[in-house]
Amino acid sequence: MRHNGLDILRAIAIVGIVVCHICLQLGYEPMGRVTGFLFVQIFLFMSAYLFGLNGGGGDKEKCLGFVMKRWKKISATYYPFLAISITVLLLTHNEVTVKNVITHITYTNYFLKDSICGISFGHLWYLSMMMLCYVGTGMLKNGRQWMHRCLSGYGMIAVSVLGILAGKMLQELGTSSRIVFLFVSYLLVYKHADVIRRFAMRQKGKMVWGVFAVCNIVCFGLFFVPGFYDMLMIRDSVIIITALAWLCVFLRMPETTDYGKTVRYVSAVSFEIYLVHHPIIFGQFSLIGKFGLGTAIEIAIAVTLTMVLAAMLNG
């Protein structure tokens, strides 16, 4: 299902993620962190929302069939990228372990805290998270009534409390508690996609934009407050609320909105941009700060190369 407003939001989100890693490479951590957390959350919510409109009420598509379809679609782009990246790394005498290969092929790298060449390919955690969300969505699509009740009414409160406890347990075990926040929020948006759509359309434009402005001012401002980044549950809650505000604003855009060929193209290749931009922009292989050409020129080169490689990967 296509939605002009979400196409625009998808293009903005991928630009925001690229900006995030440019900021982190240049040492602007608060701005890098807030843009990264927020726009990744927006990507997840757009995915959940679109799936939810096509079956959030419990359509009986088989779980395995749904997950396999999503796996094939992602892997058709992800596996060639992975194969080329690993080949180049090995040819340039960088270390890639058997564990690296297995965890990334099986989409378990995030959960097993495994990354290729440190932070240079750290962005591939998102692929692990998406596959987990697809499994959860598939279970809901083929789930019994009690599973849907858990994500409605008082069930949401119980699930949220259990999610907080599960997050604390994961934290104690040395794994990211964010897994639980991302997973539960994804399923909630999936389940209540139609409610979100109706809520966004019913509100007055001034109120929606006002809430949007307040959420972003608070969200961006808090990330500059010392210690806020480490307040995990509060931090992630603020991100989730702000991401929902972005979603509501762009859902209100009319289908007749003319957003131009450039935005349409960036939206169409956003997944490919996500895959290729990170090692080029952030980490030990970054082109930024390497040649002494000046920050602006090196950013322009890195972004141009990102777009060229994304186009090639897209075919």
Side-chain angles (χ1 to χ4, degrees):
M1 178 183 290
R2 305 300 300 180
H3 186 290
N4 282 358
L6 294 188
D7 283 344
I8 298 170
L9 182 55
R10 190 177 294 107
I12 292 172
I14 192 59
V15 170
I17 289 172
V18 172
V19 169
C20 149
H21 291 119
I22 290 173
C23 289
L24 290 176
Q25 181 65 21
L26 295 175
Y28 304 137
E29 286 201 9
M31 182 59 72
R33 285 172 171 173
V34 68
T35 50
F37 275 74
L38 177 60
F39 290 115
V40 165
Q41 190 74 59
I42 288 170
F43 261 121
L44 285 168
F45 280 175
M46 282 192 290
S47 169
Y49 173 81
L50 290 172
F51 283 132
L53 288 187
N54 292 326
D59 127 19
K60 295 291 183 180
E61 182 178 0
K62 293 293 184 184
C63 176
L64 183 60
F66 173 79
V67 174
M68 286 303 295
K69 277 196 287 188
R70 305 314 306 165
W71 174 79
K72 287 178 182 176
K73 184 169 183 179
I74 287 182
S75 299
T77 303
Y78 174 53
Y79 283 171
F81 166 78
L82 197 59
I84 293 167
S85 298
I86 290 172
T87 301
V88 171
L89 289 171
L90 291 174
L91 289 174
T92 52
H93 307 292
N94 289 283
E95 183 181 8
V96 179
T97 67
V98 174
K99 181 184 176 183
N100 290 154
V101 176
I102 292 172
T103 59
H104 283 77
I105 288 176
T106 57
Y107 294 91
T108 56
N109 48 296
Y110 185 37
F111 316 123
L112 298 178
K113 300 183 71 174
D114 185 56
S115 60
I116 299 173
C117 294
I119 61 172
S120 295
F121 289 84
H123 67 308
L124 299 181
W125 72 268
Y126 177 77
L127 282 297
S128 293
M129 197 65 234
M130 281 307 306
M131 287 307 301
L132 177 63
C133 290
Y134 291 153
V135 170
T137 303
M139 290 174 67
L140 273 180
K141 278 181 170 287
N142 198 42
R144 298 185 182 278
Q145 197 61 33
W146 68 266
M147 296 177 71
H148 293 276
R149 285 180 186 150
C150 286
L151 296 176
S152 303
Y154 291 116
M156 287 194 295
I157 299 174
V159 167
S160 299
V161 172
L162 289 173
I164 291 171
L165 294 175
K168 285 185 173 294
M169 286 177 59
L170 288 176
Q171 210 172 329
E172 292 296 323
L173 294 170
T175 305
S176 175
S177 62
R178 195 170 172 227
I179 293 171
V180 178
F181 269 84
L182 293 172
F183 182 64
V184 172
S185 63
Y186 185 98
L187 294 184
L188 286 171
V189 171
Y190 166 78
K191 173 63 182 170
H192 299 286
D194 194 53
V195 175
I196 293 170
R197 181 185 63 80
R198 283 188 275 112
F199 174 82
M201 300 307 294
R202 276 203 310 260
Q203 308 310 311
K204 293 182 178 179
K206 287 183 179 178
M207 193 197 83
V208 173
W209 280 104
V211 171
F212 174 79
V214 170
C215 285
N216 280 278
I217 290 169
V218 171
C219 181
F220 278 77
L222 285 174
F223 268 80
F224 285 86
V225 175
F228 176 75
Y229 178 79
D230 298 316
M231 300 167 67
L232 304 182
M233 284 183 284
I234 297 175
R235 178 199 70 192
D236 290 339
S237 298
V238 169
I239 287 293
I240 286 169
I241 293 168
T242 308
L244 284 172
W246 277 78
L247 185 61
C248 288
V249 163
F250 283 87
L251 284 177
R252 292 175 54 84
M253 287 193 172
E255 285 299 302
T256 55
T257 303
D258 181 13
Y259 52 93
K261 291 181 179 179
T262 301
V263 173
R264 191 179 298 114
Y265 179 74
V266 171
S267 175
V269 298
S270 58
F271 181 55
E272 288 82 359
I273 293 172
Y274 182 84
L275 288 176
V276 304
H277 85 282
H278 195 278
I280 295 170
I281 286 174
F282 183 50
Q284 69 186 83
F285 307 116
S286 174
L287 301 181
I288 300 172
K290 186 161 286 187
F291 304 111
L293 299 175
T295 302
I297 293 174
E298 289 173 343
I299 289 173
I301 292 171
V303 171
T304 301
L305 182 58
T306 293
M307 293 305 298
V308 170
L309 293 177
M312 292 171 64
L313 193 59
N314 181 258

